[in-house]
Amino acid sequence: METTDPASNAAATSDVLWAAAFDKIGRDYRMLLEHFARVLRELGEDRLAGCVDLVLRDPAPGEPPLAAPGSTRELQVLSIAFQLLNLVEENTAAQMRRAREALPSERGEPGLWRYNLEELRRAGHTPDRIAAALRDVHVEPVLTAHPTEAKRPTVLALHRQLYLHLVSLENRMWTHAEREEIHREIRETLERLWRTGETYLEKPDVLSELENALHYLREVFPAALGKVDQRLDQAWEALGWGSPLVAAREARPRLGFGTWVGGDRDGHPLVTPEVTRSTLARLRSEARIVLERQLEQLAARLTLSAHLQPVPEALTARIEELAALIPAPERDAAARHAGEPWRQAALLLRARVAADGYTMREELSADLQLLDDTLVAVGARRLARGSVQPVQRVFDTFGLHLASLDLRQNSAFHDRAMEQILAASGVAEEGYSRWNEEMRLAFLEEELLSRRPFLPRRAELGEEARSVLGALAVVAEHWEKHGGEGVGSYIVSMTRDVSDLLVVYLFQREVGLVQSTPEGLRCLLPVVPLFETVGDLRRSPAVLRGFLAHPVTARSLPRARSGEPVVQLMVGYSDSNKDGGIVAAQWGLNRAQSELAEAAREAGALPRFFHGRGGTTSRGAGPLHRFLGALAHGSLAGGFRMTEQGETVAQNYANLITCTYNLELLLSGVTAATLRHAGPPSPLDAELAPAMEALAAASTRAYRELIEAPGFIDYYSHATPIDALEHSTIGSRPARRTSRRTLEDLRAIPWVFSWNQSRHYLPGWYGLGSGLAHLEREQPSLFASLMEKGRLWPFLRNVLYNVETSLASASLEIAGEYAALVPDEAVRAAIHGRIEDEWRLAGAMIDRVFHRSRAERRPRMIRTVALRDAGLRRLHTHQVGLLRAWRAARSAGDEKGAAELLPPLLLSINAIASGERTTG
């Protein structure tokens, strides 16, 4: 009698589904390309229509990649073709998730509620324990305006329309005529996309970038929130646990949103105090729109008649009070529903929200709770749960502020500001920036004993002091009117010492962002260190201990729901990578988080980490469930913040289905990881730490030897389009922190962006191969331990998985075309040869760790990369020609010729970014 192996069956089913997925991608992609070609032919662009399929085939021998170097329309064709492929892949991924979840034997998608709850149950966690943990989870994605989104908001809106058309075609109930109408709408949308300029004609201002963030906060996230809650309920019930434990909104994990747009002024002179003021006001006005919609829908659902159930006196009294506060037209409109008192009350709430009648969230919260309580009082508990509580849940999440605005500034900028303040107040003539840490701490200790500000009224200040104090004064105004809702934290970039944090308390004292307590001064705005470089991460535990030991910090820390003080700690994934390479950065971040969490707990505070992840593996990106599973043990105590930067915002949240999936990954993943972190750590954490320490050191040496090698800067300047990127209009932020043209001054985003554009992908993998080879040669016992158990360790598995993705995305052949632009032949040969050797070594070493080749382990990833290969090859070859011609024109002083070549060059950057699905 034959037996059936469940694991084999599951693998076979997975293979069938993946084969179906690639077939579907091919069909849907071909359909969209045919529509695109038809649109072009109907517009009289027969030649361009013939270019549409170039994205699918390699050039024939002798065939040029595209037309003349200065052309833009062929570039636009390929760029749009890749954008269509991205949409098809996104929809196919969503449909495959649905197919897998429909299988009776499936536990669900890795990282989602059903999967994680089942994993927790298998690990011995009871429903009661899981429910208790859910209450303490607080997740906050933070939208930033980092300049890695190459597409205009108008183009993104057209992408959303096309995606919805693809989803509509999944419905098998349409008639032939109805499906033809959808196809007609696809062609109409494609024509609009074709006629819409892809690149910014000039750099967007900050408030334009805010508009893009507001779209997600207003239009997408509120709708996704209810669906994520619904999926938690369904997963809970599927496990046979019933729903009461998670039925109340207080029992659900909390979700909030933050933003840096309009508050992040680190190296961004356009983020003025007035921009911050406008941003705070705009966030509140958009929050009112969200609430008005919610209350309007609620009013339509609360049609309970006063003749069919008693009306509680509390509701009647509140209706009278609200009516007296509302202008006559809205009051009279609500009065037409006097026979439906709950509906009338909801309409009055909507009118008061629209008139900005609520200044503090507690007022509206109480009114919503009254609706809930009075429904329950008349026995309509189901209606309260199904109608009022979802609105309360939205209000809990978005409040009257929509998203919390963080402020960020660099520690060196603060030094200059403090120096100017002291000079203007006559306190000290010697420059503060030249004081050592001991002098600074002594000065700060004495000053923080007093509430007295430094400056007389109308004191003359330097630019830095005006900027810092002006921004904090805006926050003080907001706080006085609305309390702390809507204001996040003050983040200090490049935190090196305790004084870098304590000095912000003096700035807050200067503008009145303080309270007096019997124990002394308390600052209202939380101050958050941002540890970025490898060296700063190493020193961070000592800095945190000094910061938490200060009495002003102890008095100023916010409190968790449990009442415990919370210290927020931001770690940067970009500068640490640029500083020491990906292996040292990942290990330094892991060790720092572990030690920072321990230091926080020693001081009696809960650590809440804020992860400054970017959109590429070299800047912390990668599959979210793997990232959460690899976090340092003990670093998660229920609170989790994470930046969403550039193109990742659109990729993760542009469409409701994808948005719901990614928010569920966040909430479910943080919940599961929090429970794991509450238990004992994996033995592998301690067992493999010495090997990882040695590997990080060896890989850093290899990485630093490359970037410090003679001629490296010359190679980088010519073999990547970094000079073109610095002319781009992608975002409002400058590419460099200052005007100095050094590698240290270059931001991490253009550093990564330029290597990706030239298909080196170097920051995502360089150093790993040499590090492992050094370990095998010099410390064979440590190497043997990694070979034996490394693939079982979530941390190292995540690092290797992400490095391998970068290796697969790189192309030695295409990188060689860019290297040919380096004029010095000796430099070209030396640097490119070293890069080629390291690429091959890294791939071979990863295969050895996993005991199988990449082709055996990750065939789907390889096939996904191959889908884009032909079109990208054309684009890269064309861009190399554009770069050569543009640079020659600039060198010859031909400004007119260079200016004519710049638009197609920038469009080639956009097109390649679309094809790679990443920028920086």
Side-chain angles (χ1 to χ4, degrees):
M1 180 177 177
E2 293 185 2
T3 58
T4 302
D5 179 7
S8 298
N9 283 346
T13 301
S14 177
D15 289 343
V16 169
L17 285 174
W18 276 109
F22 280 108
D23 287 345
K24 177 174 172 55
I25 288 171
R27 289 194 310 273
D28 289 354
Y29 190 35
R30 173 56 65 184
M31 178 267 293
L32 288 181
L33 290 181
E34 287 173 356
H35 280 313
F36 185 28
R38 175 175 168 179
V39 166
L40 292 174
R41 284 194 298 271
E42 289 172 352
L43 294 175
E45 300 281 6
D46 290 351
R47 182 180 62 83
L48 293 176
C51 295
V52 169
D53 72 340
L54 295 182
V55 76
L56 297 175
R57 62 176 180 84
D58 287 312
E63 178 189 359
L66 290 174
S71 64
T72 60
R73 297 307 255 174
E74 292 88 347
L75 284 168
Q76 190 180 2
V77 168
L78 266 66
S79 179
I80 289 175
F82 275 126
Q83 293 163 31
L84 299 180
L85 176 56
N86 297 337
L87 294 172
V88 166
E89 288 180 337
E90 180 181 351
N91 179 55
T92 301
Q95 300 307 321
M96 289 303 107
R97 289 194 296 269
R98 292 167 61 89
R100 285 191 292 272
E101 289 186 346
L103 297 173
S105 60
E106 284 290 305
R107 287 188 294 147
E109 195 77 6
L112 298 185
W113 281 122
R114 175 69 188 277
Y115 185 94
N116 277 332
L117 291 177
E118 176 65 29
E119 289 287 299
L120 291 170
R121 178 167 71 173
R122 293 183 180 190
H125 295 282
T126 65
D128 286 340
R129 186 174 182 187
I130 297 170
L134 283 171
R135 296 175 60 89
D136 293 328
V137 169
H138 186 190
V139 173
E140 189 174 354
V142 180
L143 309 185
T144 78
H146 282 62
T148 64
E149 174 54 84
K151 294 177 285 296
R152 295 172 55 207
T154 304
V155 171
L156 293 174
L158 292 169
H159 288 176
R160 286 190 284 271
Q161 291 177 27
L162 286 168
Y163 180 84
L164 291 176
H165 294 325
L166 286 173
V167 173
S168 293
L169 288 173
E170 300 297 335
N171 189 336
R172 298 302 173 191
M173 295 184 68
W174 299 127
T175 66
H176 174 75
E178 288 168 333
R179 294 182 70 81
E180 282 302 304
E181 177 60 19
I182 296 172
H183 286 289
R184 187 198 64 76
E185 290 172 353
I186 287 173
R187 291 191 293 275
E188 182 180 326
T189 307
L190 283 170
E191 181 174 344
R192 288 206 301 274
L193 183 60
W194 174 248
R195 292 179 180 274
T196 300
E198 286 196 39
T199 57
Y200 288 103
L201 297 178
E202 56 188 38
K203 275 185 174 289
D205 60 22
V206 180
L207 294 180
S208 297
E209 292 173 327
L210 178 63
E211 291 296 329
N212 191 39
L214 289 173
H215 167 82
Y216 300 96
L217 291 164
R218 181 188 64 236
E219 305 294 339
V220 187
F221 292 135
L225 176 62
K227 294 187 176 297
V228 175
D229 283 348
Q230 184 182 69
R231 287 182 59 81
L232 171 58
D233 289 342
Q234 292 167 346
W236 196 272
E237 292 175 5
L239 290 170
W241 294 344
S243 62
L245 287 175
V246 293
R249 75 181 201 283
E250 298 86 357
R252 299 181 184 279
R254 285 177 293 163
L255 178 65
F257 293 92
T259 183
W260 280 11
V261 187
D264 179 12
R265 53 215 344 109
D266 179 12
H268 199 329
L270 300 179
V271 183
T272 63
E274 187 52 45
V275 165
T276 299
R277 180 180 288 107
S278 299
T279 300
L280 286 167
R282 188 67 193 283
L283 287 167
R284 282 185 66 86
S285 68
E286 296 294 306
R288 290 197 295 274
I289 292 173
V290 170
L291 289 170
E292 285 179 58
R293 291 173 179 173
Q294 292 286 320
L295 290 166
E296 186 171 2
Q297 293 167 12
L298 178 61
R301 295 169 67 90
L302 296 183
T303 56
L304 292 78
S305 170
H307 301 297
L308 298 177
Q309 46 261 310
V311 182
E313 290 183 10
L315 181 63
T316 302
R318 187 54 180 157
I319 287 173
E320 292 176 359
E321 292 170 0
L322 288 168
L325 299 172
I326 303 301
E330 290 81 4
R331 181 177 65 242
D332 295 343
R336 288 196 288 271
H337 298 283
E340 299 169 329
W342 282 272
R343 185 177 196 174
Q344 183 184 12
L347 289 170
L348 290 170
L349 295 187
R350 179 187 180 280
R352 193 173 183 209
V353 166
D356 199 14
Y358 291 100
T359 57
M360 298 290 184
R361 71 174 297 142
E362 292 76 15
E363 302 170 88
L364 180 53
S365 181
D367 282 340
L368 289 171
Q369 189 60 49
L370 178 65
L371 292 180
D372 187 287
D373 292 343
T374 52
L375 284 171
V376 172
V378 300
R381 186 178 298 274
R382 181 185 291 109
L383 301 185
R385 182 183 175 190
S387 297
V388 179
Q389 289 184 17
V391 178
Q392 290 176 296
R393 177 77 161 144
V394 169
F395 181 62
D396 291 342
T397 300
F398 298 96
L400 296 170
H401 66 291
L402 199 63
S404 296
L405 180 67
D406 287 338
L407 274 64
R408 183 173 74 134
Q409 186 52 276
N410 194 285
S411 60
F413 195 94
H414 287 157
D415 288 349
R416 295 192 294 274
M418 194 69 230
E419 192 167 278
Q420 292 163 5
I421 290 170
L422 294 181
S425 62
V427 172
E429 292 300 325
E430 185 184 354
Y432 176 85
S433 60
R434 295 193 295 276
W435 295 0
N436 61 32
E437 180 67 0
E438 185 179 354
M439 292 173 63
R440 293 185 185 199
L441 288 177
F443 168 74
L444 293 167
E445 286 283 351
E446 181 179 352
E447 281 299 324
L448 287 172
L449 295 173
S450 168
R451 277 203 61 176
R452 164 194 51 78
F454 285 115
L455 295 169
R457 297 185 67 182
R458 291 185 289 276
E460 290 292 327
L461 292 173
E463 180 181 347
E464 286 84 355
R466 287 198 309 274
S467 174
V468 170
L469 296 185
L472 288 169
V474 168
V475 173
E477 292 170 14
H478 180 90
W479 207 292
E480 187 173 351
K481 292 179 184 175
H482 308 296
E485 185 183 46
V487 180
S489 305
Y490 195 104
I491 298 159
V492 181
S493 299
M494 294 294 173
T495 297
R496 267 71 192 269
D497 293 300
V498 178
S499 64
D500 292 335
L501 304 171
L502 298 182
V503 74
V504 182
Y505 291 152
L506 286 188
F507 296 146
Q508 291 195 51
R509 186 189 73 178
E510 204 64 26
V511 300
L513 261 175
V514 293
Q515 290 177 341
S516 290
T517 73
E519 294 78 25
L521 199 68
R522 173 177 177 264
C523 289
L524 298 179
L525 185 61
V527 177
V528 175
L530 168 49
F531 301 111
E532 300 179 78
T533 68
V534 171
D536 291 343
L537 287 165
R538 197 174 296 121
R539 292 188 296 271
S540 62
V543 172
L544 179 62
R545 286 187 174 92
F547 179 53
L548 291 176
H550 199 280
V552 174
T553 302
R555 291 190 291 269
S556 302
L557 290 179
R559 300 275 166 170
R561 184 183 287 185
S562 62
E564 296 175 272
V566 175
V567 60
Q568 189 182 145
L569 305 159
M570 188 169 184
V571 288
Y573 288 72
S574 302
D575 285 282
S576 55
N577 181 288
K578 179 167 163 273
D579 185 40
I582 190 164
V583 179
Q586 292 293 312
W587 180 241
L589 285 157
N590 184 277
R591 292 297 83 203
Q593 287 171 57
S594 180
E595 293 168 9
L596 286 167
E598 183 180 353
R601 289 190 171 91
E602 287 172 1
L606 287 176
R608 177 168 295 162
F609 281 96
F610 184 4
H611 298 269
R613 299 175 81 211
T616 58
T617 57
S618 51
R619 297 183 52 240
L624 184 61
H625 65 287
R626 291 180 182 271
F627 172 81
L628 292 171
L631 287 176
H633 189 270
S635 65
L636 256 180
F640 180 86
R641 298 187 91 208
M642 180 184 78
T643 53
E644 292 283 15
Q645 299 182 6
E647 77 277 2
T648 63
V649 178
Q651 289 172 7
N652 291 342
Y653 304 119
N655 302 299
L656 183 59
I657 295 171
T658 309
C659 178
T660 301
Y661 169 67
N662 282 293
L663 289 181
E664 184 178 349
L665 278 177
L666 262 176
L667 287 168
S668 174
V670 171
T671 299
T674 298
L675 280 161
R676 287 195 299 269
H677 285 215
S682 164
L684 293 177
D685 289 357
E687 188 176 341
L688 296 181
M692 199 64 222
E693 196 71 39
L695 175 60
S699 70
T700 297
R701 282 195 297 273
Y703 175 80
R704 297 299 305 183
E705 285 171 4
L706 174 72
I707 67 173
E708 293 169 2
F712 173 79
I713 296 299
D714 188 41
Y715 179 92
Y716 171 62
S717 300
H718 289 90
T720 77
I722 181 60
D723 47 352
L725 284 171
E726 291 184 323
H727 283 77
S728 75
T729 54
I730 286 176
S732 64
R733 181 186 300 274
R736 296 178 183 270
R737 286 190 167 92
T738 71
S739 58
R740 292 180 295 122
R741 300 194 62 77
T742 63
L743 190 58
E744 292 72 22
D745 190 55
L746 182 69
R747 292 184 180 277
I749 290 170
W751 165 254
V752 175
F753 198 167
S754 53
W755 286 117
N756 290 358
Q757 282 276 309
S758 59
R759 290 298 286 279
H760 289 78
Y761 276 77
L762 184 140
W765 56 267
Y766 198 93
L768 173 71
S770 290
L772 285 169
H774 175 89
L775 207 62
E776 181 178 27
R777 186 172 60 251
E778 303 295 332
Q779 295 173 284
S781 62
L782 294 181
F783 180 79
S785 67
L786 280 184
M787 289 297 106
E788 181 185 357
K789 298 178 180 176
R791 68 186 181 281
L792 306 175
W793 188 24
F795 168 75
L796 185 59
R797 192 168 65 238
N798 182 58
V799 172
L800 296 180
Y801 183 100
N802 290 334
V803 166
E804 191 168 50
T805 300
S806 292
L807 285 170
S809 300
S811 166
L812 292 181
E813 179 186 348
I814 294 172
E817 292 185 36
Y818 285 87
L821 295 170
V822 179
D824 189 317
E825 187 175 343
V827 166
R828 178 171 68 244
I831 301 298
H832 192 68
R834 182 180 288 191
I835 290 171
E836 284 187 320
D837 291 344
E838 182 70 15
W839 184 88
R840 293 190 175 92
L841 182 59
M845 283 298 187
I846 291 175
D847 285 350
R848 289 182 62 186
V849 173
F850 286 109
H851 306 305
R852 285 193 303 158
S853 70
R854 183 190 307 166
E856 294 175 285
R857 290 180 289 105
R858 303 187 67 185
R860 293 191 292 272
M861 184 266 289
I862 293 172
R863 188 169 175 183
T864 299
V865 171
L867 271 174
R868 300 162 181 274
D869 188 60
L872 278 172
R873 284 176 182 275
R874 290 181 182 274
L875 286 170
H876 286 298
T877 301
H878 190 66
Q879 187 183 78
V880 168
L882 287 169
L883 278 169
R884 183 177 284 113
W886 179 66
R887 288 169 178 171
R890 295 179 72 201
S891 296
D894 181 5
E895 294 183 9
K896 184 174 181 294
E900 289 173 351
L901 287 167
L902 186 58
L905 180 54
L906 296 181
L907 185 55
S908 77
I909 290 171
N910 274 28
I912 290 171
S914 294
E916 295 179 338
R917 287 207 80 176
T918 189
T919 53

